[in-house]
């Protein structure tokens, strides 16, 4: 028995005529989770204090993101979703003044993410997102300082990659370019230079590498895979493109036989985690995007290997969430469904949703520190369930592949 995941006892997919998606079951579960989220976090009931987190990862902006998503779903009429999104986004903005050290470009754990979500909510409400965008773009001055953070200045949670993914998300939400494509290319080039300098300094065999607290992570949360993922949507110069592709291929070469990727570049034998943050469930987004951009079969093969591993080892004991829980794994099946149109993956995603109410999961899975949040808690799980109702447009938050 593993201490990281529950054994997957589900029968794998056998083609049949019966519908794969049990809509009634999913909707009931969504209603149950949303009720719990509102009961425990409603900013109208709970006062903002210096300990309140406003960020996307575990704070109020993450819950605003969920209600924004709900407002675009088939369940939108069951809740005043957009109004709720605005209430949470406004409450999140109040925390900005309480957390001075976070006045930087952090998408998932800082102010940038709060402005990104607030701007998207304003736009959805037909209000001008101009103020939020102005505040967001102030972060670009910091972005251009080559050493603005000692640690992790390029990764997704606090660094430049997150800022870029936030801008790319806003471009789609606003249906307009928040910054010009030339300015975006410039930001991409700054990241590539940073990775190139680090790789040269350490004399590494890969053209680009990045560090977070001195560690060369590969996973999506702190590592190179999300950084390179963000760069694949940006117009870059020829030399940068070459180094980007070579670096992706170096990472691909690290995928082991069972389909996983090590957590760190310099420790290829340590590949125990199958999470979005560390391991195959996060690196898969880079391979999927590379498949879309370059059209080479090897990247799709890599995604399939990741997904087989997730089917075996993805019923995670760490809870229901996006970062290292059931939703992290469920989204891998949904991504494969989108890449291949194979019903098997939809079936697997449905089984993972069913596991959320399994007695063993309810009794033995760990309760996250922030149980209602987007990345650790059930807000992220609701995103996964909403996408299960609309799988052709499913998308892990901020990881736009197709
Ligand atoms: Zn995690």
């Amino acid at each position: 028995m593993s201490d990281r995941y529950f054994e997957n006892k589900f029968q794998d997919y056998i083609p049949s005529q019966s519908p794969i998606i049990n809509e009634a079951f999913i909707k009931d579960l969504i209603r149950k989770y949303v009720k719990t989220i509102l009961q425990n976090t409603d900013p109208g009931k709970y006062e903002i204090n210096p300990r309140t987190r406003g960020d996307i990862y575990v704070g109020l902006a993450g819950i605003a993101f969920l209600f924004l998503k709900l407002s675009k779903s088939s369940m939108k009429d069951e809740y005043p979703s957009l109004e709720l999104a605005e209430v949470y986004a406004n409450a999140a903005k109040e925390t900005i003044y309480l957390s001075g050290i976070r006045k930087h470009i952090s998408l998932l754990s800082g102010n940038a993410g709060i402005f990104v979500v607030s701007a998207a909510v304003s736009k959805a409400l037909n209000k001008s997102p101009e103020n939020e965008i102005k505040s967001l773009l102030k972060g670009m001055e910091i972005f251009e300082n080559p050493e603005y953070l000692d640690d992790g200045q390029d990764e997704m949670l606090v660094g430049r990659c997150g800022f870029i993914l936030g801008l790319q998300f806003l471009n789609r939400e606003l249906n307009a370019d928040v910054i010009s494509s030339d300015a975006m290319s410039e930001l991409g080039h700054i990241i590539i230079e940073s990775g190139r300098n680090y790789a040269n300094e350490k004399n590494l065999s890969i053209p680009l590498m990045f560090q977070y607290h001195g560690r060369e992570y590969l996973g999506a949360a702190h590592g190179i895979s999300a950084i390179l993922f963000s760069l694949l949507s940006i117009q870059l110069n020829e030399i940068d493109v070459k180094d980007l592709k070579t670096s992706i291929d170096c990472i691909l070469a690290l995928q082991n036989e069972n389909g996983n990727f090590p957590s760190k570049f310099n420790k290829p034998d340590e590949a125990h985690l199958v999470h979005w943050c560390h391991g195959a469930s996060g690196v898969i987004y880079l391979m999927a995007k590379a498949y879309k951009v370059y059209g080479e079969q090897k990247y799709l093969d890599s995604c399939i290997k990741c997904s087989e591993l997730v089917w075996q080892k993805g019923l995670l004991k760490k809870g229901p969430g996006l970062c290292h829980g059931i939703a992290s794994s469920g989204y891998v099946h949904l991504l494969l469904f989108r890449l291949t149109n194979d019903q098997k993956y939809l079936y697997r995603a449905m089984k993972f949703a069913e596991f959320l109410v399994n007695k063993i999961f309810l009794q033995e899975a760990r309760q996250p520190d922030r149980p209602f949040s987007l990345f650790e808690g059930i807000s992220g799980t609701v995103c996964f369930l909403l996408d299960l109702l609309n799988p052709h447009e499913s998308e892990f938050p901020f990881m736009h592949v197709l």
Side-chain angles (χ1 to χ4, degrees):
M1 267 288 277
S2 167
D3 56 352
R4 298 184 203 279
Y5 59 89
F6 298 101
E7 187 188 342
N8 185 350
K9 293 183 178 169
F10 288 112
Q11 163 72 49
D12 203 356
Y13 180 59
I14 301 169
S16 81
Q17 293 306 313
S18 47
I20 290 173
I21 296 298
N22 182 345
E23 216 176 282
F25 167 86
I26 296 169
K27 286 186 171 176
D28 276 350
L29 194 52
I30 290 173
R31 287 183 196 110
K32 196 181 116 203
Y33 282 146
V34 170
K35 192 174 167 194
T36 308
I37 293 163
L38 285 170
Q39 276 171 346
N40 288 280
T41 65
D42 183 352
K45 281 195 240 158
Y46 298 94
E47 213 174 294
I48 308 263
N49 64 53
R51 286 193 315 279
T52 305
R53 289 278 295 259
D55 57 76
I56 290 178
Y57 190 80
V58 291
L60 295 161
I63 303 178
F65 179 94
L66 160 65
F67 282 111
L68 179 63
K69 190 174 179 79
L70 196 52
S71 76
K72 298 172 188 171
S73 76
S74 60
M75 294 178 75
K76 63 176 184 288
D77 295 333
E78 295 193 25
Y79 303 94
S81 314
L82 267 185
E83 287 74 11
L84 283 167
E86 190 179 34
V87 168
Y88 278 95
N90 285 343
K93 278 191 275 189
E94 281 182 51
T95 69
I96 284 167
Y97 306 104
L98 301 176
S99 52
I101 53 159
R102 291 182 176 275
K103 283 184 183 171
H104 52 59
I105 63 168
S106 165
L107 175 75
L108 293 187
S109 50
N111 289 357
I114 295 173
F115 294 128
V116 163
V117 172
S118 299
V121 171
S122 291
K123 164 75 179 168
L125 283 161
N126 289 321
K127 295 180 181 177
S128 167
E130 204 180 320
N131 285 340
E132 289 101 337
I133 291 175
K134 248 189 226 160
S135 304
L136 173 67
L137 295 185
K138 276 185 200 155
M140 281 177 60
E141 293 160 25
I142 304 169
F143 201 105
E144 284 161 17
N145 173 356
E147 301 298 334
Y148 87 92
L149 272 183
D150 290 342
D151 280 306
Q153 60 181 355
D154 296 298
E155 57 82 86
M156 181 166 178
L157 262 71
V158 299
R160 295 177 174 127
C161 148
F163 190 79
I164 286 191
L165 290 176
L167 289 177
Q168 291 170 346
F169 166 81
L170 259 192
N171 286 351
R172 296 191 299 277
E173 290 291 308
L174 272 48
N175 205 13
D177 285 344
V178 177
I179 61 169
S180 70
S181 63
D182 282 354
M184 190 69 104
S185 297
E186 184 53 36
L187 299 185
H189 180 69
I190 291 171
I191 294 186
I192 296 234
E193 277 290 294
S194 171
R196 195 176 277 141
N197 289 341
Y198 180 82
N200 284 340
E201 214 175 275
K202 298 282 171 181
N203 211 7
L204 300 179
S205 56
I206 185 168
L208 308 174
M209 186 44 72
F210 307 85
Q211 59 84 26
Y212 180 78
H213 291 277
R215 300 197 174 97
E216 295 157 2
Y217 287 118
L218 296 186
H222 300 302
I224 186 171
S225 64
I227 299 171
L228 302 188
F229 171 88
S230 74
L231 297 172
L232 278 171
S233 304
I234 296 177
Q235 207 69 33
L236 297 166
N237 70 47
E238 214 176 301
I239 298 166
D240 288 357
V241 166
K242 189 168 167 278
D243 282 353
L244 172 59
K245 174 111 179 4
T246 308
S247 299
I248 295 171
D249 288 341
C250 289
I251 294 169
L252 178 63
L254 292 173
Q255 187 169 27
N256 64 28
E257 254 174 38
N258 71 13
N260 208 3
F261 288 90
S263 296
K264 301 181 201 99
F265 179 70
N266 53 359
K267 303 231 165 118
D269 297 330
E270 290 179 17
H272 314 299
L273 303 176
V274 186
H275 303 165
W276 172 80
C277 49
H278 300 287
S281 305
V283 181
I284 190 172
Y285 293 92
L286 174 64
M287 296 307 157
K289 191 87 181 180
Y291 177 62
K292 190 198 163 196
V293 171
Y294 303 115
E296 294 174 28
Q297 182 65 30
K298 63 182 180 184
Y299 300 121
L300 181 61
D301 292 343
S302 166
C303 294
I304 292 169
K305 277 198 220 165
C306 290
S307 78
E308 292 303 320
L309 172 76
V310 170
W311 173 245
Q312 298 301 331
K313 299 188 175 179
L315 294 173
L316 299 169
K317 292 191 172 177
K318 277 194 168 180
L322 279 181
C323 190
H324 36 254
I326 301 291
S328 154
S329 305
Y331 263 114
V332 169
H333 302 313
L334 286 178
L335 175 60
L336 258 290
F337 173 68
R338 289 204 63 189
L339 289 169
T340 64
N341 224 7
D342 186 337
Q343 299 289 313
K344 173 174 78 180
Y345 298 112
L346 199 54
Y347 169 90
R348 289 179 173 182
M350 183 65 218
K351 293 295 139 193
F352 274 44
E354 284 174 20
F355 193 69
L356 291 162
V357 299
N358 184 297
K359 225 192 236 169
I360 294 176
F361 178 74
L362 294 174
Q363 284 169 356
E364 295 178 25
R366 262 161 269 164
Q367 173 88 332
D369 292 342
R370 303 274 180 160
F372 317 108
S373 64
L374 187 66
F375 270 78
E376 283 188 359
I378 53 177
S379 285
T381 321
V382 176
C383 289
F384 161 59
L385 294 171
L386 286 169
D387 277 339
L388 204 42
L389 294 173
N390 187 21
H392 288 285
E393 288 177 36
S394 58
E395 184 171 295
F396 190 103
F398 305 101
M399 308 295 279
H400 177 75
V401 177
L402 297 157

